[in-house]
Amino acid sequence: MTGWKPVIGMEVHAELETHSKMFSACPVVDSVTAPPNTAVDPVSLGLPGTLPVINLQAVEYAMMVGLALNCEIPPVNQFARKSYFYPDLPKGYQISQYDRPLCINGWLDVEVTPEGGEPYTKRVRIRRAHLEEDTGKLTHVAGGSLVDYNRAGVPLLEIVTEPDINSAAEAEAYARTLRSILQYLGVNSGDMSKGVLRVEPNISVMHPDDAEFRTRTEVKNLNSLRVLFRATEAEIERQIGLYESGGEVQQATLGWDENKNRLVVQRVKERADEYRYFPEPDLPILEISRAWVAEVSAKLPELPEAKRARFMDELGLNAYDARVLVMEQAVAHFYEAVLAAGANGKSAANWITGSLFSLMNANGFNREDIEKSKITAQQFAELVKLVDGGALNKGTAATVLNTMWETGADPARIVEEQGLAQVSDTGAIAEAVARVLAENESVVQDYLGGKEKLFGALMGQVMRAMAGKGDPQVIKQTLTDLLEARRG
Amino acid sequence: MTALTELTLSQALQQMREGALTSVALTQAYLDRIDQLDDTLHAYLTITRESALAAAKAADQARANGDDRPLLGVPLALKDIFSTRDVETTCGSKILQGYKPVFSATIVERLEAAGMVLLGKLNMDEFAMGSSTENSAYSITRNPWDAGRVPGGSSGGSAAAVSAGMAAGAFGTDTGGSIRQPGAMCGIAALKPSYGRVSRYGVVAFGSSLDCPGPMARTVTDVARLLQVVAGYDPLDSTSMTLDVPDYVAGLTGDIRGLRVGIPKEYFIEGIQPEVEQAVRMAITQFERLGAELIEISLPHTEYSLPTYYLIAPAEASANLARYDGIRFGPRQELGEMWPTYKATRGQGFGAEVKRRIMLGTYALSAGYYDAYYGKAQAVRTLIKRDFDKAFQDVDVIVTPTAPTTAFRIGENTADPLQMYLADIFTLPASLAGICGLNVPCGFDSEGLPIGLQILGAAFDEATVLRAGHAYEQATDWHSRRPML
């Protein structure tokens, strides 16, 4: 198995969340939940005589993505017809772009964290990104197939990389980074399970002796980043296995079977596809002025990479925390709301990436669902401030956070109702320390005799005696003072 | 012919405005005329009798209340290529049998807004592919001047209906000559507007970069009146132009003194029927008598128009006709599996000429052939367009025969597609260039068949073409002759 190098290019189809479809005023709806064929009009049904009109909002969204991916936006754009027959394609051709796409020659830097390896940055070149219209959806039922055209005509941006990706981890990192950008731009929810973002790796493997690429396969139906990773890894292994056992890879489209947890061959391609592209005569050439590009460029929001740099520079976060806080836009939103509510940046980062993420993991919450928990950013900020202000110690705070997760109550109220406020009163602490020392005379003797590790045990006894509410700093100081006093 | 259906559109409108005529009476007269003649002529595919009379009645009431919209109460008919809400729209094809659109074409909306009374839908070559209306899946329309002859095509039903007095005016579409050529063969005024002047939205597509809807009527004035209503930008058609629309009727001054008339030598070629050439030459001298200046010109790439057209139009058609799969509308030959169902639906739904053009176009767009065929054709198209651009620097209009022959006999050209294609040899170049062209009657051959004169104008200069046609019409009486029926 050694020596083989995976060569992967990615094709990503991202639906653009415009109000209306790519070529008509027909509204765009959630095609998973909306009743079938309720968001259709003569244009999206391809009725005879209907004509397309370009949705300029979709063009602008696509430009935003292109600019975020460091692409050139050529001044002359053209749509083309891509012909093939299928019942989910109303016109028998898809209006797409062929030799004059909207965005070309970009790149995206992605941070890759291989399993058991050091993180590194990989530059993935973007070959092109072009606009097209989505197809409808077929559902196979007993005795036939049903077609739903709600999705037909929804603006779709196809983003194609150069074959720069060399592992499943890189493929996943690329998709994760791209998804994050799409979310930050507000053009796509990133929900792979609903098919609004479809990530399709084109995979081949290369032997050190190879002068050119080998046959590649395309993997589809990947409904999460996790599945993308697993399917990519499985396909790389399958291809290497085939070659090592003297076999050949056939050009094919594969899909991930969710139930069987494995790849299945969907279609073997025996010859090149024949799409008979030609310029769409119903649409004039779309000229994109430099002024328009500049205008869109100026409107771009802060993107994950810039936000990460800012978190590190302005708030002093470490690289890891900064990355996990910006990767999901929802997390970044939450974090920034916590900051806005007055919490300290570093403390808030620690509490989110530590305790809150643990709670979310334990409860099956994805990172992007952070704002769906019962804890508001305002409440979370209050908790951080209680700890930073010395009113709660960390252990108690974790308990309070658990209660907040369960009930959604304000931290101050939980502290008050459960009497969890940290005790910093030196009198109460001195009393507790004296009692513990008196009750553990032998331990004290051992400590004084040189077993200094026993300090921790005594510390713990005092904490327990104070039901965890004592301020650890004050306890530590008092305990030290009283023990040293015993030395005489 | 009853008196009412002999009136031109403009005359009938004038009488309705003066209160001398009601739309109901006029509409009834046309319906009676259709009843009397259409069993022989087969111009109509659908007659919307009841809704026509209801619309006529409503128009009379509206007029009584002071309404004077430009076409209020005027009975018109439409080529069956225009989508009409709730009215069957077959495009002359079995594959659209029973199809009732849920929306109307923009020009239908505009005609209705102007007060039109719709008499019905008119026969045509299937998907507008043909020059004789013999390719209709439903019936063969007869030429009102000789029922043994074709009316031309593809808007043959429209031309025959106007010529025979079965509608005050009609609309057709012209992709390679389908308004002008039947206009010539039936002896009426018929205008192909410039590409982009009239919306294509709701017009069943044949060759998207060529299709032009346009008016057909008994006089140039009527044609101008109809164009006025439908011309202008449509936000639903991205290829329609935002240019201002001039007042076409007001521009019909009858004065063409100083008009520079180009005579292209490439249009007076061997194979043209001698009587046609003679009539057209006579017409040219008429222009001179009216004070126009005659200028010999050359349009050197004319001879490439036919092959260029027969690559571009079928290529576009091959994609445009892919939507007829029986899935969402139209009859389906249900065979259980997808591919057999597709093949049977399309195999049985399309006629021979449509299949021929789908195959031509599919071939021209195929990988490995695209550059040699479709790509080359687009390059030649540019040269043809430049010929006209150059010519219109020196002339205002160009005058040619509309068709090389008068109406041919039914069945005469059906065995030889190439011979049939030659019927459009003089109309194709203007289609490829996207400019406008008007047919006006300019004589009759020895068999009593009408001869057409084609007046071509620069893109979006319909006003000059109409002025020239109108002036010629005023000076001659060819247009006022009607077939004996």
Side-chain angles (χ1 to χ4, degrees):
Chain A
M1 298 274 285
T2 52
W4 292 99
K5 179 178 158 189
V7 179
I8 302 167
M10 302 285 273
E11 276 179 32
V12 172
H13 287 87
E15 283 185 5
L16 299 177
E17 290 176 349
T18 49
H19 293 297
S20 56
K21 290 187 176 178
M22 185 63 228
F23 296 114
S24 72
C26 185
V28 171
V29 298
D30 183 334
S31 61
V32 174
T33 55
N37 297 311
T38 52
V40 293
D41 70 343
V43 175
S44 55
L45 287 173
L47 296 185
T50 55
L51 297 171
V53 177
I54 297 170
N55 179 344
L56 292 179
Q57 181 70 68
V59 175
E60 193 157 312
Y61 278 3
M63 279 165 67
M64 286 165 68
V65 177
L67 291 168
L69 298 178
N70 307 293
C71 288
E72 298 163 32
I73 312 289
V76 173
N77 252 265
Q78 192 168 41
F79 287 90
R81 292 185 182 179
K82 176 182 180 179
S83 289
Y84 63 94
F85 287 104
Y86 209 64
D88 67 7
L89 187 66
K91 296 186 294 297
Y93 59 85
Q94 179 188 36
I95 304 178
S96 180
Q97 295 189 293
Y98 185 53
D99 51 3
R100 288 173 163 177
L102 191 70
C103 315
I104 55 170
N105 300 336
W107 49 265
L108 180 62
D109 283 340
V110 304
E111 190 163 305
V112 190
T113 311
E115 268 177 80
E118 284 297 304
Y120 61 94
T121 301
K122 173 94 186 196
R123 175 159 295 192
V124 178
R125 289 171 299 156
I126 308 293
R127 180 182 295 172
R128 58 184 282 160
H130 69 254
L131 269 171
E132 56 189 30
E133 53 181 339
D134 211 343
T135 62
K137 272 200 284 201
L138 273 187
T139 310
H140 302 285
V141 295
S145 299
L146 303 172
V147 204
D148 175 9
Y149 293 106
N150 282 345
R151 205 180 66 178
V154 170
L156 201 57
L157 184 67
E158 180 175 333
I159 305 160
V160 183
T161 74
E162 297 292 344
D164 289 348
I165 292 165
N166 301 113
S167 69
E170 289 182 8
E172 188 194 347
Y174 167 76
R176 186 183 297 281
T177 309
L178 176 61
R179 185 176 74 160
S180 177
I181 288 172
L182 296 174
Q183 290 170 332
Y184 270 73
L185 294 172
V187 303
N188 183 285
S189 70
D191 192 340
M192 292 172 70
S193 66
K194 281 188 173 173
V196 300
L197 182 67
R198 308 196 279 274
V199 180
E200 292 157 8
N202 282 253
I203 302 171
S204 67
V205 294
M206 213 168 184
H207 194 269
D209 301 335
D210 289 349
E212 43 190 61
F213 295 134
R214 297 189 178 218
T215 304
R216 66 170 189 259
T217 59
E218 188 176 6
V219 185
K220 296 191 173 201
N221 294 353
L222 306 177
N223 61 15
S224 72
L225 292 172
R226 188 71 206 143
V227 167
L228 163 68
F229 178 82
R230 284 160 65 193
T232 305
E233 224 173 32
E235 177 55 10
I236 291 166
E237 279 173 27
R238 188 186 73 92
Q239 291 191 12
I240 294 172
L242 274 171
Y243 288 128
E244 299 252 309
S245 61
E248 283 294 321
V249 171
Q250 268 190 303
Q251 195 178 345
T253 302
L254 298 102
W256 184 256
D257 187 323
E258 193 64 9
N259 299 320
K260 293 176 184 158
N261 232 353
R262 65 180 179 87
L263 289 169
V264 287
V265 176
Q266 291 184 327
R267 187 166 74 104
V268 173
K269 291 184 185 180
E270 283 166 358
R271 52 184 178 178
D273 290 316
E274 171 69 272
Y275 291 125
R276 304 191 305 282
Y277 282 100
F278 74 103
E280 168 56 276
D282 287 331
L283 292 172
I285 279 182
L286 175 63
E287 289 183 39
I288 297 190
S289 70
R290 297 305 90 185
W292 191 13
V293 176
E295 190 190 313
V296 172
S297 190
K299 276 196 293 196
L300 287 183
E302 185 183 42
L303 293 170
E305 197 46 43
K307 199 182 279 290
R308 177 166 89 146
R310 182 166 61 80
F311 284 175
M312 290 171 71
D313 291 349
E314 293 182 4
L315 303 171
L317 301 194
N318 64 43
Y320 174 81
D321 280 356
R323 192 167 79 89
V324 297
L325 287 172
V326 304
M327 187 55 84
E328 294 290 343
Q329 192 185 20
V331 174
H333 266 160
F334 186 81
Y335 177 61
E336 292 191 306
V338 170
L339 296 185
N344 170 272
K346 267 183 158 173
S347 308
N350 287 334
W351 279 97
I352 291 173
T353 60
S355 304
L356 184 57
F357 279 180
S358 301
L359 266 174
M360 288 169 62
N361 287 346
N363 289 280
F365 269 58
N366 290 320
R367 299 266 165 93
E368 66 249 36
D369 299 329
I370 189 167
E371 285 166 313
K372 291 177 191 161
S373 94
K374 289 180 181 163
I375 305 172
T376 66
Q378 182 71 35
Q379 291 171 328
F380 196 85
E382 291 308 320
L383 178 72
V384 174
K385 284 191 280 185
L386 285 174
V387 178
D388 285 353
L392 268 186
N393 70 39
K394 284 185 183 166
T396 312
T399 313
V400 172
L401 185 62
N402 281 332
T403 310
M404 289 165 71
W405 179 274
E406 299 294 335
T407 65
D410 288 342
R413 187 161 164 204
I414 297 168
V415 167
E416 193 191 314
E417 281 180 359
Q418 302 188 10
L420 296 172
Q422 174 162 278
V423 178
S424 306
D425 169 26
T426 47
I429 288 172
E431 192 183 311
V433 170
R435 194 167 65 241
V436 166
L437 293 184
E439 287 166 3
N440 295 280
E441 186 55 31
S442 63
V443 179
V444 172
Q445 289 305 328
D446 289 349
Y447 172 82
L448 294 173
K451 292 190 178 173
E452 298 203 342
K453 282 185 182 166
L454 289 170
F455 186 87
L458 291 167
M459 212 28 227
Q461 289 280 350
V462 177
M463 289 297 287
R464 265 195 297 283
M466 298 192 72
K469 290 182 284 184
D471 183 332
Q473 293 303 319
V474 181
I475 293 173
K476 191 177 171 191
Q477 193 56 52
T478 310
L479 188 58
T480 308
D481 290 350
L482 288 183
L483 284 168
E484 290 312 308
R486 289 284 296 270
R487 272 191 221 276
Chain B
M1 189 184 276
T2 68
L4 291 183
T5 57
E6 273 181 67
L7 298 172
T8 68
L9 186 156
S10 301
Q11 288 167 341
L13 194 57
Q14 186 57 32
Q15 290 198 13
M16 286 192 285
R17 282 176 173 159
E18 289 166 355
L21 174 63
T22 65
S23 175
V24 168
L26 185 64
T27 302
Q28 189 59 60
Y30 276 113
L31 290 170
D32 291 347
R33 179 89 174 160
I34 294 167
D35 285 343
Q36 180 200 335
L37 295 176
D38 205 49
D39 283 348
T40 310
L41 296 178
H42 300 291
Y44 279 83
L45 288 175
T46 302
I47 300 161
T48 49
R49 191 180 310 274
E50 278 157 31
S51 60
L53 286 169
K57 201 173 162 191
D60 287 334
Q61 273 166 4
R63 191 173 291 287
N65 292 328
D67 191 345
D68 188 29
R69 282 173 285 154
L71 296 175
L72 186 62
V74 175
L76 301 176
L78 300 169
K79 187 178 184 179
D80 208 23
I81 200 168
F82 295 104
S83 299
T84 40
R85 189 185 295 105
D86 300 331
V87 176
E88 188 175 3
T89 300
T90 67
C91 213
S93 180
K94 289 277 187 229
I95 212 160
L96 278 174
Q97 191 160 32
Y99 167 64
K100 290 184 177 176
V102 294
F103 70 106
S104 286
T106 295
I107 87 158
V108 176
E109 299 272 4
R110 289 183 182 179
L111 290 167
E112 282 175 346
M116 159 186 80
V117 170
L118 178 66
L119 293 169
K121 304 294 287 292
L122 297 162
N123 199 18
M124 56 185 288
D125 285 300
E126 183 179 6
F127 283 102
M129 295 176 185
S131 309
S132 68
T133 316
E134 290 165 290
N135 293 334
S136 166
Y138 297 99
S139 57
I140 294 175
T141 301
R142 309 279 165 156
N143 191 312
W145 297 90
D146 177 349
R149 292 175 185 268
V150 302
S154 66
S155 309
S158 304
V162 170
S163 168
M166 296 194 289
F171 276 83
T173 58
D174 189 314
T175 304
S178 285
I179 287 174
R180 292 161 287 162
Q181 185 257 26
M185 292 191 172
C186 290
I188 61 168
L191 175 75
K192 179 201 104 74
S194 311
Y195 184 81
R197 180 56 100 184
V198 178
S199 170
R200 293 183 295 119
Y201 188 78
V203 182
V204 179
F206 162 20
S208 305
S209 72
L210 297 155
D211 296 341
C212 295
M216 305 167 80
R218 274 167 245 164
T219 67
V220 173
T221 307
D222 290 355
V223 161
R225 218 175 275 287
L226 291 172
L227 177 64
Q228 195 75 52
V229 169
V230 300
Y233 175 66
D234 174 12
L236 296 179
D237 177 359
S238 304
T239 62
S240 71
M241 295 297 284
T242 51
L243 298 170
D244 287 340
V245 177
D247 186 332
Y248 294 117
V249 178
L252 304 178
T253 57
D255 182 0
I256 56 165
R257 282 173 297 174
L259 187 79
R260 297 168 304 166
V261 176
I263 319 293
K265 60 172 186 277
E266 291 83 3
Y267 283 67
F268 296 89
I269 51 168
E270 219 172 305
I272 187 171
Q273 188 180 323
E275 290 166 297
V276 169
E277 177 164 359
Q278 204 179 351
V280 170
R281 297 254 183 229
M282 287 290 288
I284 289 167
T285 61
Q286 182 68 52
F287 274 93
E288 196 169 24
R289 276 199 293 280
L290 290 168
E293 179 191 353
L294 303 185
I295 301 169
E296 290 278 334
I297 61 165
S298 174
L299 298 166
H301 296 95
T302 299
E303 63 174 309
Y304 304 112
S305 295
L306 189 89
T308 301
Y309 176 86
Y310 278 97
L311 287 168
I312 292 171
E316 292 175 356
S318 71
N320 284 329
L321 271 59
R323 72 191 63 201
Y324 305 101
D325 55 11
I327 304 280
R328 285 146 295 126
F329 50 81
R332 182 194 308 176
Q333 306 301 326
E334 182 62 67
L335 293 181
E337 296 295 315
M338 183 180 92
W339 286 111
T341 299
Y342 266 32
K343 286 177 181 171
T345 298
R346 291 170 64 79
Q348 293 171 39
F350 290 135
E353 181 62 25
V354 171
K355 287 180 193 170
R356 179 171 15 251
R357 297 204 197 186
I358 289 174
M359 285 188 279
L360 270 173
T362 302
Y363 185 80
L365 290 175
S366 298
Y369 300 101
Y370 179 95
D371 290 340
Y373 293 116
Y374 187 79
K376 185 67 81 180
Q378 287 293 7
V380 177
R381 183 178 187 174
T382 303
L383 296 177
I384 291 166
K385 189 169 179 301
R386 278 193 201 145
D387 279 358
F388 282 108
D389 289 345
K390 188 161 172 291
F392 284 118
Q393 288 174 3
D394 302 321
V395 301
D396 301 307
V397 295
I398 294 169
V399 172
T400 80
T402 302
T405 68
T406 53
F408 45 87
R409 292 186 185 283
I410 289 168
E412 190 175 329
N413 286 336
T414 45
D416 183 352
L418 264 182
Q419 191 60 39
M420 185 72 92
Y421 294 171
L422 286 171
D424 294 331
I425 188 99
F426 297 146
T427 48
L428 294 174
S431 291
L432 290 164
I435 62 174
C436 55
L438 173 71
N439 175 77
V440 287
C442 71
F444 289 83
D445 71 5
S446 55
E447 311 247 6
L449 299 169
I451 297 169
L453 178 75
Q454 175 173 241
I455 305 170
L456 300 175
F460 304 104
D461 195 13
E462 286 81 3
T464 301
V465 163
L466 290 168
R467 180 161 62 93
H470 173 256
Y472 174 77
E473 198 179 71
Q474 293 298 102
T476 57
D477 70 346
W478 308 115
H479 67 284
S480 56
R481 293 206 200 169
R482 307 266 47 102
M484 302 287 284
L485 289 159

